[in-house]
Amino acid sequence: MKNLIIDTANEKIFFSIITESQSYTTTHTNSSKNFDKFIILLLDFLKTSKTSLKEINNIFVNQGPGKFSGIRIAISVVKALSLTNNIALYGFNSKDIEKNEYKKIIELFKKGKLIKDLIKPLY
């Protein structure tokens, strides 16, 4: 199972692919320049990690609280990707992670603590 985690609520734009056996991560500066090319950054990340959208089973997006513009762009993009590629979408909160321990999101998912398609931005 391949999981895509996207977090734009903090100082960095964070992308991660996490599977049972490995993970691949990259970050970018959280800036308006990068928001303008957000989808390009995401598609480049997928290409670099040798992952196609068809391989992704779940997308997890940070719904805040955090930076307004970052949260809005990330949620908009992941909703579109989820709908067009039939990928399960889950939201998590900034308080769910500590010290960039994004594997905790997968643990919460496995425990049934994240609700599918329930995205409520917290700015």
Side-chain angles (χ1 to χ4, degrees):
M1 182 177 297
K2 284 194 177 186
N3 302 291
L4 172 62
I5 298 176
I6 298 176
D7 186 352
T8 59
N10 300 302
E11 298 302 316
K12 297 279 186 179
I13 295 171
F14 176 89
F15 300 124
S16 184
I17 295 286
I18 297 178
T19 67
E20 294 295 327
S21 60
Q22 62 184 358
S23 66
Y24 184 81
T25 302
T26 192
T27 61
H28 301 276
T29 304
N30 195 338
S31 66
S32 60
K33 175 184 164 189
N34 283 337
F35 295 146
D36 290 342
K37 59 181 183 176
F38 182 83
I39 192 69
I40 294 168
L41 294 173
L42 177 57
L43 294 175
D44 285 347
F45 166 72
L46 293 172
K47 184 177 179 181
T48 303
S49 66
K50 296 180 178 144
T51 304
S52 75
L53 286 170
K54 293 176 184 174
E55 295 175 279
I56 296 174
N57 303 97
N58 303 300
I59 300 175
F60 301 93
V61 63
N62 189 341
Q63 56 193 2
K67 295 188 176 236
F68 177 79
S69 297
I71 293 168
R72 283 188 58 200
I73 190 74
I75 289 174
S76 298
V77 168
V78 298
K79 279 186 174 183
L81 291 175
S82 172
L83 286 170
T84 58
N85 295 283
N86 199 28
I87 302 170
L89 175 60
Y90 297 87
F92 66 92
N93 296 321
S94 294
K95 66 178 177 60
D96 293 333
I97 51 171
E98 295 176 8
K99 300 179 185 175
N100 295 329
E101 290 292 328
Y102 288 92
K103 288 186 180 182
K104 183 176 180 192
I105 300 305
I106 305 303
E107 293 171 18
L108 291 172
F109 165 70
K110 288 179 180 177
K111 292 178 183 177
K113 302 286 184 181
L114 301 178
I115 300 171
K116 184 177 179 183
D117 298 327
L118 180 62
I119 307 296
K120 293 185 176 181
L122 304 169
Y123 304 116

